């Protein structure tokens, strides 16, 4: 396993729980404990983890560091694919939609080819790349300042968004919490996402189960603002019940169904 893959795994575990042990990580990844300690030291230097006795912990309780797109894309690709497949079912021919930045929304954008007369506005460079590869989709890219997640944010972005009217906003988020709502580590990205939601008649949030319970630095919107939430079947029954108290339409994607068969591989 490459160092980048190990780092992505450790970060994903720290998003899921507050701390992890060196022994657990070494066993899960099939490497020595010394290798894991070096990995944790590297992540600490980048501000992505904090060394503690016997393992690693989140650098902070709130405002977890914003990761780059390539690192985040390594996290739970099967769940993201399953969510994207359910999300594309909500897009009708002739629609005008907005797609925010994120690795799950990127997976969603790659599936939009073939939907007739579709217009997609976005503040994501990666979404534009996905749509360009797909072809046949009218694309509008806002201007703005580039973030580590390949989003465009700032005054130019929000002023553009306030002039738009779209049918549906498909939004990716960093955190999904019953009380804190939808959050992100980047204050300007929170502002841009909020403006995108306000420009849409309907808000659809795409978030895999690891996002549940996380709280980023900046709040986007409360859960009550979400019309449809699409997540995966990694959430517990209790978590799903709690989400249903806030979100009127909850779609749970089956991850196993999204995995390619051996024949397809």
């Amino acid at each position: 396993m490459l160092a980048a893959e190990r780092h992505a795994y450790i970060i994903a575990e720290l998003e899921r729980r507050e701390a992890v042990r060196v022994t657990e990580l070494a066993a899960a990844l099939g490497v020595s404990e010394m290798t894991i300690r070096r990995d944790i030291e590297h992540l600490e230097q980048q501000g992505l983890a904090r060394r503690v006795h016997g393992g690693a912990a989140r650098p902070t309780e709130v405002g977890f560091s914003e990761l780059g797109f390539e690192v985040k894309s390594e996290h739970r690709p099967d769940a993201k694919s399953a969510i994207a497949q359910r999300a594309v079912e909500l897009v009708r021919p002739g629609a005008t939609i907005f797609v925010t930045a994120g690795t799950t929304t990127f997976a969603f954008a790659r599936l939009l080819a073939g939907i007739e007369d579709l217009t997609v506005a976005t503040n994501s460079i990666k979404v534009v790349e996905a749509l360009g590869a797909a072809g046949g989709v009218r694309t509008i890219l806002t201007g703005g300042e580039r973030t580590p997640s390949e989003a465009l944010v700032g005054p130019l972005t929000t002023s553009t968004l306030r002039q738009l009217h779209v049918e549906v906003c498909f939004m990716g988020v960093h955190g999904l919490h019953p009380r804190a709502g939808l959050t992100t580590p980047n204050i300007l990205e929170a502002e841009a996402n909020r403006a995108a939601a306000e420009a849409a008649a309907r808000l659809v949030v795409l978030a895999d189960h690891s996002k549940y319970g996380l709280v980023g630095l900046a709040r986007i919107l409360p859960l009550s603002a979400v019309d449809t939430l699409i997540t995966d079947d990694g959430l517990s029954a209790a978590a799903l019940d709690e989400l249903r108290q806030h979100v009127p339409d909850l779609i749970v994607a089956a991850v196993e169904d999204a995995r390619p068969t051996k024949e397809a591989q």
Side-chain angles (χ1 to χ4, degrees):
M1 180 177 286
L2 298 175
E5 294 175 314
R6 295 196 308 273
H7 297 165
Y9 180 88
I10 294 169
I11 291 167
E13 287 300 296
L14 288 175
E15 288 184 344
R16 191 170 64 87
R17 47 194 174 130
E18 295 181 4
V20 290
R21 291 186 175 277
V22 169
T23 52
E24 294 174 358
L25 293 171
L29 297 173
V31 296
S32 69
E33 293 184 11
M34 181 59 69
T35 296
I36 295 298
R37 290 191 181 95
R38 286 196 295 266
D39 289 337
I40 292 172
E41 182 179 2
H42 173 79
L43 292 173
E44 184 177 52
Q45 291 171 354
Q46 294 188 344
L48 301 176
R50 177 167 51 90
R51 283 184 292 179
V52 296
H53 181 68
R58 293 181 185 178
T60 56
E61 286 295 320
V62 177
F64 194 72
S65 302
E66 184 175 13
L67 308 180
F69 182 91
E70 299 303 329
V71 172
K72 290 194 291 186
S73 65
E74 299 288 339
H75 297 184
R76 299 175 175 82
D78 290 337
K80 292 171 182 177
S81 177
I83 291 167
Q85 289 175 36
R86 295 301 303 271
V88 79
E89 296 172 4
L90 304 180
V91 183
R92 67 169 186 82
T96 298
I97 66 175
F98 191 92
V99 181
T100 73
T103 51
T104 309
T105 50
F106 172 74
F108 163 69
R110 294 174 67 181
L111 300 178
L112 294 174
I115 299 179
E116 295 182 3
D117 197 27
L118 181 64
T119 300
V120 179
T122 184
N123 66 326
S124 168
I125 296 168
K126 288 293 185 179
V127 166
V128 169
E129 290 178 3
L131 294 172
V137 178
R138 287 189 296 274
T139 307
I140 301 168
L141 177 64
T142 69
E145 177 186 346
R146 192 173 186 172
T147 72
S149 62
E150 302 291 347
L152 296 177
V153 300
L156 181 59
T157 305
T158 53
S159 65
T160 301
L161 287 167
R162 286 171 182 149
Q163 298 177 57
L164 299 181
H165 296 283
V166 299
E167 296 172 35
V168 187
C169 172
F170 291 88
M171 182 183 294
V173 297
H174 169 84
L176 183 75
H177 193 279
R179 290 174 294 282
L182 312 176
T183 60
T184 174
N186 190 302
I187 294 174
L188 291 178
E189 188 164 1
E191 184 178 278
N193 283 2
R194 194 158 48 246
E198 291 170 355
R202 181 182 179 193
L203 174 59
V204 178
V205 172
L206 316 183
D208 71 71
H209 72 273
S210 70
K211 307 296 178 68
Y212 179 77
L214 285 183
V215 179
L217 174 65
R219 189 188 205 199
I220 304 169
L221 289 165
L223 277 184
S224 59
V226 179
D227 296 294
T228 299
L229 170 62
I230 308 178
T231 187
D232 65 90
D233 53 10
L235 279 176
S236 67
L240 292 172
D241 287 343
E242 188 168 29
L243 287 171
R244 288 189 180 99
Q245 295 176 25
H246 301 275
V247 180
D249 183 26
L250 180 63
I251 298 174
V252 181
V255 173
E256 193 64 36
D257 293 345
R259 291 182 179 139
T261 63
K262 290 183 179 180
E263 291 78 7
Q265 292 175 331

